[in-house]
Structure formats: structure tokens, C-alpha cells
Amino acid sequence: MKNSTVRNSITEDSREQYALAIDLGGTNTEVAIVSDRGETLARTRVLTRGYKDIDSFIEAVAQRAGELIEATGTAGQIVGAGIGAPCLNAATGCIEAATDLPWPSPVPLRELLTKALGMRVEAVNDANAAAAGEARYGAVKGMKNFVMLTLGTGVGGGVMCDGHLLSGRSGFAAELGHVIVNNGEGRMCGCGRRDCLQTYGSASGVVTTARRLLKERPEQPSMLREMDMEALTAADVSEAADCGDALALEVWRRTGLRLGEACASFAAFADPEAFVFFGGVARAFPHFAEALRESFNRNALHLYSGRVQILASTLESADAALLGAAALIL
Amino acid sequence: MKNSTVRNSITEDSREQYALAIDLGGTNTEVAIVSDRGETLARTRVLTRGYKDIDSFIEAVAQRAGELIEATGTAGQIVGAGIGAPCLNAATGCIEAATDLPWPSPVPLRELLTKALGMRVEAVNDANAAAAGEARYGAVKGMKNFVMLTLGTGVGGGVMCDGHLLSGRSGFAAELGHVIVNNGEGRMCGCGRRDCLQTYGSASGVVTTARRLLKERPEQPSMLREMDMEALTAADVSEAADCGDALALEVWRRTGLRLGEACASFAAFADPEAFVFFGGVARAFPHFAEALRESFNRNALHLYSGRVQILASTLESADAALLGAAALIL
């Protein structure tokens, strides 16, 4: 079994329940066995784009899952499988209109996996899976009202309101990356509209802000000027900020201001106890948190201003989605 | 018993359950006996501002309630009381920071009523009560995912998601009137911020749009020009539109465009099956519905565009809130 790890140190408890957890991403699909205490017993990876069609991909996932179950000796204790995937319609169990996956939509994911695995399968969109993981094991553990924003290639959301993770008519609730920001610069979004939050809060949004600022302030020295502008990443901007680069810090400040404004609107919708930030871009949380908090408190209605916690996820990215997928079942 | 009506034609059914329903408004407080089939057996009214303090007001409400129960012979079948009130924190049962009520906040409404009535009391904010009524007996009967907008003195909201009416941490979810609109004109809101949706979609918002348009188009004839600008109301603008007044129709078109943009954001949050418009200003629904629908479909993410119904409430204003208050109990 390649690319896989099996923990041997776990205390054996024959009564413990386990879930098969799957996090389907644009590049990799993570497969794991998770206990109801949130421990990952074993884990492996399938290349999402490594198969000729969806059937071969599903077959590969099922085979890896079988190997993990055998390696961990959990065959009799697996309650079911939970899966998080982009653009997943929780009502139908289908992936709909996913632009960064190699198969034509809709993909009847839940149905295919149920057949291939021979067990109960629960499926939600990836951001909701991560929110479920965060609620069960992470920064907002036990909290009944929070809004999670995943900042990565895109911007996604998960909203827990009154202890319930919002799904909506077709599982497309909390598409918070596609709320239009106020007084935007007219940035084009992949969805075809302009000024979606995602064009400011995603990795490429941060890069756009950096390029813009470098142009706006030709006199200001910055480490970023020494880099290849075409290849610049949000991680570069984060590293420059780590080194105290003033221009990079300003990029994160502006990102925080935008996110704070958006959160002010989200508060009016969900009346949350906390906002929690998750994903690759959220690793720069210490650089944008203060501006975000300040902007939120300035822009939010008095009912929410100063009353909502601004938090960073305490789970590793892949873990949150896997743990959340497991939480769908356990 | 003044100002009250009692239906005698109702078929007696000793097993039927009833609720005491209360709709507390800035001017009037409606009190009614409602059956679990949504029939109003009897109804009366208390002047919200007619008492020297909150205790005398509560006493008056309890007395009227007692009279209604006696008149309808429902004493043994009243399951409890449901009440909708502005700025009500459903978690504490208190009215918090209500600017248009005569008593100092917070008002421990649920506690006071429980003592005075001697029965179980459920309390929610007025917009949520109306949404509950609409969901049980109105335009979105049986629908599990919808967003309701109440257009009146202010703009309120109620969000039903996955069959659950969102409450949030303190019962202040769905304050949709206080979401900031994109590229606004800088209109001042009563909450102290600028360009809240309420400054465009409320009665006074419509009047502001009318005044602005009358100035913008000094050459265009309009019935509205003959009116006292200081005393102009949204109802006047609606009546002028009924008569085919082109300028008044343009006021409603602009109102619809703004509401449609806001609904595009709300869809990304709640993935609803329908938007339902309620309240005094929503009586002009036929004048703004087309622009709203067009604007929503143009501004919404492809996942929602063309897939969400735009509806007018089918309940009378006071009825929706009373029926919703009853639905909290029945």
C-alpha cells in the first residue's frame, strides 16, 4: 500500500465505532479510518486525476478503503462512509457543476460509492465537511452558532446555526465566497461575475492585491519586488509578512479589511458566536486577524459588533475535512 | 370587550388544541385565540403605548387574553402562548434594544407573560413569527428552504433553512434589513450605518428613492409632483404606480433592482427555494416583482439563478404574525 500510514499505537477497543472518511479534492483524494473519538487510525491517498474515468477512480478508492480496513482490523466496526467533495449537492448526493474535477457533471458520487463500498454513505460539500470537523474537534468545538470561511484556491463557507449545519435546498447553502463585496474593484471571478469575496480572500485574490499594491507604491521597497511576478503566490506574501515586509503586511491588512466587511453581513444573517478561518490562506491568520476584527466591529450592526470571536482553525486542512466526513457518520 | 371579535361559526371540537397568539407591535398589540388548523376564533387589540409601564401593559394583555378564552370556551384546550415582538432575543425571551417601544430595554417579556398568564410562553422576534406563519399557512406552506423579507417601517427577515427557522446565538439571525447594499448612495440608516438594505426597501426608503427621482428628472410629469413632498408615503407611490404613473413605476423598478441584488447574496447564504415578500410595502409587489426577478437572476451565482421563486405573501400582515406566534406553540 503506497502513500499510506497505519497507526499501531492505538488502544484496541472492540466496541469503538469507526468511519471511513473521504476528502475528495481537485488533486488528491484522502481516504482514512477515523474513530468516534476523532483519531485517524490509518490514511492513504488516491490521485483524483490518475484514472481514465469516474468508475476506475471509484474502484481505486474502494480498493484502498478495503486495504485500510484490513490493515486496521476494523471490518466489523465500520459504521459507514462520509465524504466531502466540491459542489456536492447533499440532497441528491451528486457532484454538480464542479469546474476543477476531471469528470463531466453531474457525478452520482453517493450512489457509486454506496455500490462500490457496500455500506451507508453520507456526502456533503467539502466546506461543510470541514465545518463539521471543526465543530466536532476543532476551534469551535461544541459551539452551536459559527460561520467558517475556508480560504484556499477559492473561498468556501460552512454555517452552523442553532446547532445545525446549513445545507439548503440543494446543499448549496453557505457559498460565502460568492457573495459580492461592497465597492469592489471589479475583479473578475471564475463564476463569471465580478467582485465575489473569493476574488479578494482566496490565494489568487491575495496575489492580485499584492500586484496591485506593488504598482500603487512604486517607491516602497519590498521583498516581493525581487520575485517573479507571474509565479508569485499567497505563501510568498505570507513569508514576506513573516519577515516584517511592510508592503506584504499591508496586503494582508487589506485582505483582513475585506473579510471583516463580509463577516459583518454574514453576522446579520446567522448571528454567530464566532468566525473561524480555515485553509491554506488562513495560515496567514496572524497577519490579517487584527484588521479583520477591527473592520468587522466597525462595519457590523451594534447587535453583533464586539460580540463575535474571530478564530483560526486548530485543525490541519486535510484533517478537518476527513474528521468532518467521519462526523457525518459517527 | 372593546375592539374584539369572536367567531361563533366554528365547529366545536373538544379535542382541538388552541394557542394564545400575541403580536406585539410599536402601536398595537394583537391578541388572538388560534386553532391548530390556523383558524382565528377570537381576536382583540391592546394599545402598546396606552399604559403607564410594562407591568400595566402585561396586566392588560393578560386580562384581554382571559376574556378571549372565556368568550370562546377554550379554557381547557389552550396549550400555551406564542408571542412575536421587535428585537426579541429568543434565547433569553427579552426584548433588547428596541428603539420603537415605550419601555426601557431589556424587557423580560417571556418571564413577565409566563407569570401573568400562568401558561407556557414561546417568544421570537416579529419577523421570525411572520415567517413561521407564512411557512405553516401562507405562500411557502410546507417549504423547507425560503427567505422571507418583511418590507415595512423597517426591513426584517426570516430564514427557513432545512426546515428550521434560523435563530442564531441571541435570536438575531436574519436581520436582513441591515445588510449593506453594493455601490449604495450613502443613505443613512437608523442603526447609525450607511446603505443598509432597509434604507432602500422600507417605506421611507421608497419615499427617498421617489424624492431623488423627482429631482433627477425635473422634466418628467408625475402625479407625485402634485403631492406635499414632506408628507409623501410609500402608499402614495404605490397608488401612483397603480394609475400607470411612469415615474412612480420607475421608483418601484429601482426598489426591485436593489432587492434583487440583496437576494442574490441571501441565496449564496441559504440556497432557498423561494423568496417571499411581506409587509405594507410588499403590497406593491406587482410593481417591483419583475425588476426584482430580473435583477436576482442577473446577479445570482449560476447555482441559484433562474431557480428561485419570487413570491408575495398570501397572508394579511397581522394574521401572519399571529398565526406564526400560534405555530410556535401548536
Side-chain angles (χ1 to χ4, degrees):
Chain A
M1 211 160 51
K2 284 178 299 182
N3 302 321
S4 66
T5 53
V6 178
R7 284 183 60 181
N8 295 315
S9 60
I10 192 87
T11 311
E12 281 290 342
D13 180 346
S14 63
R15 289 156 308 177
E16 186 140 37
Q17 295 194 322
Y18 300 97
L20 184 66
I22 305 170
D23 175 34
L24 195 161
T27 307
N28 295 311
T29 294
E30 306 274 343
V31 184
I33 308 287
V34 176
S35 79
D36 53 9
R37 290 178 298 187
E39 287 165 316
T40 302
L41 260 68
R43 182 162 164 174
T44 188
R45 178 178 286 178
V46 174
L47 289 176
T48 306
R49 295 170 181 279
Y51 300 87
K52 71 178 191 331
D53 56 22
I54 180 70
D55 292 321
S56 332
F57 168 76
I58 293 286
E59 197 180 311
V61 168
Q63 190 185 327
R64 291 297 174 85
E67 290 166 8
L68 289 184
I69 292 168
E70 198 180 319
T72 53
T74 50
Q77 291 148 276
I78 301 277
V79 188
I83 180 161
C87 289
L88 195 122
N89 179 335
T92 62
C94 291
I95 296 174
E96 292 182 5
T99 49
D100 55 353
L101 292 179
W103 317 295
S105 291
V107 178
L109 189 67
R110 190 171 59 203
E111 189 188 332
L112 292 172
L113 273 175
T114 303
K115 274 188 201 160
L117 296 168
M119 62 176 79
R120 178 165 77 95
V121 175
E122 294 287 342
V124 294
N125 82 52
D126 46 4
N128 273 359
E134 205 64 51
R136 184 129 170 184
Y137 305 108
V140 288
K141 191 173 169 176
M143 218 178 264
K144 287 189 172 172
N145 291 282
F146 69 86
V147 174
M148 174 157 153
L149 281 159
T150 58
L151 312 179
T153 311
V155 170
V159 177
M160 180 77 83
C161 196
D162 307 326
H164 171 75
L165 199 57
L166 302 194
S167 179
R169 175 201 205 175
S170 306
F172 295 137
E175 284 286 351
L176 304 184
H178 293 284
V179 165
I180 311 283
V181 306
N182 297 324
N183 306 311
E185 300 161 8
R187 293 188 185 180
M188 202 67 212
C189 183
C191 75
R193 302 177 308 149
R194 286 185 187 275
D195 284 333
C196 288
L197 177 61
Q198 157 159 319
T199 65
Y200 297 86
S202 68
S204 62
V206 169
V207 169
T208 302
T209 304
R211 288 194 187 124
R212 189 182 169 103
L213 203 57
L214 286 163
K215 262 194 200 163
E216 255 180 41
R217 302 180 172 184
E219 308 300 318
Q220 186 172 356
S222 168
M223 291 164 63
L224 300 177
R225 294 197 193 280
E226 294 152 32
M227 293 178 182
D228 172 7
M229 271 308 100
E230 287 306 306
L232 190 69
T233 66
D236 294 334
V237 184
S238 187
E239 278 169 32
D242 290 342
C243 299
D245 186 280
L247 193 137
L249 287 166
E250 175 62 13
V251 171
W252 289 112
R253 195 183 73 85
R254 290 195 184 183
T255 304
L257 294 179
R258 282 285 178 203
L259 289 168
E261 285 172 24
C263 287
S265 280
F266 301 158
F269 211 97
D271 185 16
E273 195 173 337
F275 290 101
V276 57
F277 293 86
F278 175 85
V281 175
R283 290 196 195 114
F285 183 79
H287 296 310
F288 64 73
E290 194 182 317
L292 197 164
R293 192 173 285 119
E294 187 265 321
S295 162
F296 172 76
N297 288 332
R298 181 161 34 82
N299 286 290
L301 186 63
H302 60 89
L303 294 171
Y304 319 110
S305 182
R307 296 180 62 186
V308 187
Q309 296 178 63
I310 312 285
L311 303 170
S313 166
T314 56
L315 300 174
E316 285 298 315
S317 290
D319 283 358
L322 282 173
L323 292 175
L328 296 173
I329 288 293
L330 294 168
Chain B
M1 211 160 53
K2 284 178 298 183
N3 301 321
S4 66
T5 52
V6 178
R7 284 184 60 180
N8 296 314
S9 59
I10 193 86
T11 311
E12 281 289 341
D13 179 347
S14 62
R15 288 155 307 176
E16 184 140 40
Q17 294 193 322
Y18 301 98
L20 184 66
I22 305 171
D23 175 35
L24 195 160
T27 308
N28 295 310
T29 293
E30 305 274 344
V31 184
I33 308 288
V34 176
S35 78
D36 53 10
R37 289 178 296 186
E39 287 165 315
T40 302
L41 260 66
R43 182 162 164 175
T44 187
R45 178 179 286 179
V46 174
L47 288 175
T48 307
R49 296 169 180 278
Y51 301 87
K52 71 178 193 324
D53 56 22
I54 180 70
D55 293 321
S56 331
F57 168 76
I58 293 286
E59 197 180 311
V61 168
Q63 191 185 326
R64 291 298 174 85
E67 289 166 8
L68 288 183
I69 292 168
E70 200 182 317
T72 54
T74 50
Q77 290 149 277
I78 300 276
V79 188
I83 180 162
C87 287
L88 195 124
N89 179 334
T92 62
C94 291
I95 296 174
E96 291 182 5
T99 48
D100 55 353
L101 292 179
W103 318 295
S105 291
V107 177
L109 189 67
R110 191 172 57 202
E111 190 189 331
L112 292 171
L113 272 174
T114 304
K115 275 188 199 156
L117 296 168
M119 61 176 78
R120 177 165 78 95
V121 176
E122 295 287 343
V124 294
N125 82 54
D126 45 4
N128 272 359
E134 204 66 50
R136 185 127 169 185
Y137 305 107
V140 287
K141 191 173 170 177
M143 218 179 262
K144 288 189 170 171
N145 291 283
F146 69 86
V147 174
M148 175 158 152
L149 281 159
T150 58
L151 312 178
T153 310
V155 170
V159 177
M160 180 78 82
C161 196
D162 307 325
H164 171 75
L165 199 56
L166 302 193
S167 178
R169 174 203 207 175
S170 306
F172 295 138
E175 284 286 350
L176 304 184
H178 293 285
V179 165
I180 311 283
V181 305
N182 297 325
N183 305 311
E185 300 161 8
R187 293 188 185 181
M188 201 68 211
C189 183
C191 76
R193 302 178 309 150
R194 284 182 190 278
D195 284 332
C196 288
L197 178 60
Q198 158 160 317
T199 65
Y200 297 86
S202 67
S204 62
V206 170
V207 169
T208 302
T209 304
R211 288 194 186 123
R212 190 182 170 102
L213 203 57
L214 285 163
K215 262 194 200 162
E216 257 181 37
R217 302 181 173 182
E219 309 299 320
Q220 186 173 355
S222 168
M223 291 165 62
L224 299 177
R225 294 197 192 280
E226 294 151 32
M227 293 178 183
D228 173 8
M229 273 305 101
E230 288 305 306
L232 190 70
T233 66
D236 295 334
V237 184
S238 186
E239 278 168 31
D242 291 342
C243 299
D245 186 281
L247 194 138
L249 286 166
E250 175 63 13
V251 171
W252 289 112
R253 195 184 73 86
R254 290 195 184 182
T255 305
L257 294 179
R258 283 284 180 204
L259 289 169
E261 284 172 26
C263 286
S265 280
F266 301 158
F269 212 98
D271 185 16
E273 195 173 337
F275 290 101
V276 57
F277 292 86
F278 176 84
V281 174
R283 289 196 196 115
F285 183 80
H287 296 310
F288 65 72
E290 194 182 318
L292 197 163
R293 192 173 285 120
E294 187 266 320
S295 161
F296 172 76
N297 288 332
R298 182 160 34 84
N299 286 289
L301 185 63
H302 59 88
L303 294 171
Y304 319 110
S305 182
R307 296 180 62 186
V308 188
Q309 296 178 63
I310 313 286
L311 304 169
S313 164
T314 54
L315 300 174
E316 285 297 314
S317 291
D319 283 358
L322 282 173
L323 292 175
L328 296 173
I329 288 292
L330 293 168

